[in-house]
C-alpha cells in the first residue's frame, strides 16, 4: 500500500483559501489597519483577526461556505482524484493543510472528493455563539522553519509512527504540495519516495536550491507538475511496475 499526502491551498485548489474568503467581506477587501498586523510566521493569528473583523461586519457561515464551495480546483486535479477513486484500495490518502477544517471540508464535499481522504490534519475552526467564524492553531512544535501553529513534518512523522504501531507499513510515500511548509516534511522522505512540487512554487524552488547546495541531500525523487494529470500519469506507471 502507498501513502499519498496532499496539501490543500494552491495544490488541490487553485487559490489560497485564506485570500479567497476575503470575497465574502464588505467590498471584497480588508481595511489597511488589519492588513498591517500580518507578521511572517504568524499567519494563523493574523487570520484570527481577519475573521473577527469579518464577523463584526456580519459575514455569516453561509457566506464563507459559498466561497469555499466555489474555489476552483487546480488544473488536472479532477483527473487525479478520479484515478485515485478507481484505485482507492492501493492508496491511503491524507491531507495536511495550514488552512482550516471547515473550509477544507466544505470545498471537498462540494467537489465530491471528501470521502477519498482517510484523515485531514488542519487548523481547528468553527462558528461561535455569535455566529463568528473562529480559528485556532493546530499544535505547538519546535521546528524553526515552519509557522508557529503547524509543522507538517511533525504531523507526517507522527502519522507514520502511529500507522506503524497499527502494523501498517507503506511501500512508498508520495507527497503533493506547493509551499515552503511542504518542503519541510519532504526533506524527511527516503529515496523510495516521490515528491510532486507544483512547478514554479516555493516547494519546487527549495528542492532545486537544496540540490544545488547539497547534491544528494534531498533523497526523494522530485517530479514537478503543472497539471495534476501529470501526477496521475506518474502514479499509473508506478502501478504497472
Amino acid at each position: 500500500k502507498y501513502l499519498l499526502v496532499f496539501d490543500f491551498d494552491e495544490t488541490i485548489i487553485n487559490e489560497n483559501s485564506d485570500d479567497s474568503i476575503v470575497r465574502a467581506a464588505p467590498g471584497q477587501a480588508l481595511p489597511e489597519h488589519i492588513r498591517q498586523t500580518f507578521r511572517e510566521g504568524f499567519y494563523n493569528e493574523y487570520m484570527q483577526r481577519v475573521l473577527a473583523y469579518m464577523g463584526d461586519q456580519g459575514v455569516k457561515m453561509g457566506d464563507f461556505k459559498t466561497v469555499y464551495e466555489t474555489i476552483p480546483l487546480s488544473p488536472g486535479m479532477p483527473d487525479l482524484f478520479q484515478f485515485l477513486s478507481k484505485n482507492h484500495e492501493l492508496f491511503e490518502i491524507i491531507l495536511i493543510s495550514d488552512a482550516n477544517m471547515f473550509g477544507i471540508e466544505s470545498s471537498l464535499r462540494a467537489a465530491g472528493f471528501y470521502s477519498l481522504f482517510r484523515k485531514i490534519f488542519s487548523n481547528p475552526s468553527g462558528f461561535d455563539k455569535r455566529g463568528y467564524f473562529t480559528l485556532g492553531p493546530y499544535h505547538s512544535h519546535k521546528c524553526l522553519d515552519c509557522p508557529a501553529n503547524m509543522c507538517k513534518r511533525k504531523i507526517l512523522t507522527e502519522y507514520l509512527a502511529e500507522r506503524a504501531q497499527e502494523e501498517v507499513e507503506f511501500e512508498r510515500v508520495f507527497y503533493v504540495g506547493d509551499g515552503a511548509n511542504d518542503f519541510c516534511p519532504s526533506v524527511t522522505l527516503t529515496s523510495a519516495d516521490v515528491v510532486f512540487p507544483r512547478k514554479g512554487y516555493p516547494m519546487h524552488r527549495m528542492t532545486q536550491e537544496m540540490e544545488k547546495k547539497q547534491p544528494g541531500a534531498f533523497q526523494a525523487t522530485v517530479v514537478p507538475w503543472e497539471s495534476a494529470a501529470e501526477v496521475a500519469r506518474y502514479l499509473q506507471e508506478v502501478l504497472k511496475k
Side-chain angles (χ1 to χ4, degrees), residues 80-215:
L80 175 54
F81 283 156
Q82 268 140 18
F83 164 79
L84 293 171
S85 301
K86 286 189 194 118
N87 298 281
H88 203 227
E89 67 293 345
L90 300 171
F91 295 96
E92 180 163 305
I93 307 171
I94 64 171
L95 197 163
I96 309 178
S97 164
D98 199 3
N100 69 81
M101 287 303 281
F102 174 78
I104 292 170
E105 286 182 10
S106 304
S107 186
L108 290 176
R109 285 186 197 281
F113 297 116
Y114 179 71
S115 63
L116 275 181
F117 295 87
R118 179 178 186 266
K119 203 147 187 213
I120 294 172
F121 299 91
S122 191
N123 298 304
S125 60
F127 292 83
D128 67 12
K129 288 191 197 67
R130 303 168 300 169
Y132 281 35
F133 191 6
T134 61
L135 176 68
Y138 181 77
H139 61 187
S140 58
H141 60 84
K142 296 184 175 67
C143 176
L144 301 173
D145 299 320
C146 286
N149 63 297
M150 178 178 282
C151 169
K152 293 186 177 188
R153 179 194 302 210
K154 187 177 186 210
I155 295 171
L156 181 58
T157 308
E158 285 172 0
Y159 184 79
L160 289 169
E162 181 191 305
R163 295 302 275 145
Q165 275 182 322
E166 292 159 359
E167 297 187 350
V168 179
E169 293 284 351
F170 298 105
E171 207 177 310
R172 300 169 84 174
V173 177
F174 299 104
Y175 194 111
V176 188
D178 76 290
N181 63 354
D182 297 311
F183 179 72
C184 183
S186 65
V187 174
T188 63
L189 300 178
T190 71
S191 55
D193 305 324
V194 183
V195 299
F196 300 94
R198 193 170 182 181
K199 225 176 248 182
Y201 283 72
M203 183 190 187
H204 185 212
R205 287 197 293 276
M206 289 165 89
T207 53
Q208 289 172 316
E209 278 160 25
M210 188 169 187
E211 195 43 55
K212 259 197 213 108
K213 282 183 195 141
Q214 307 160 266

Side-chain angles (χ1 to χ4, degrees), residues 58-68 102 106 126-127 131-133:
V59 182
K60 296 275 182 285
M61 176 171 146
D63 306 320
F64 287 109
K65 200 161 179 279
T66 301
V67 172
Y68 284 120
F102 174 78
S106 304
F127 292 83
Y132 281 35
F133 191 6

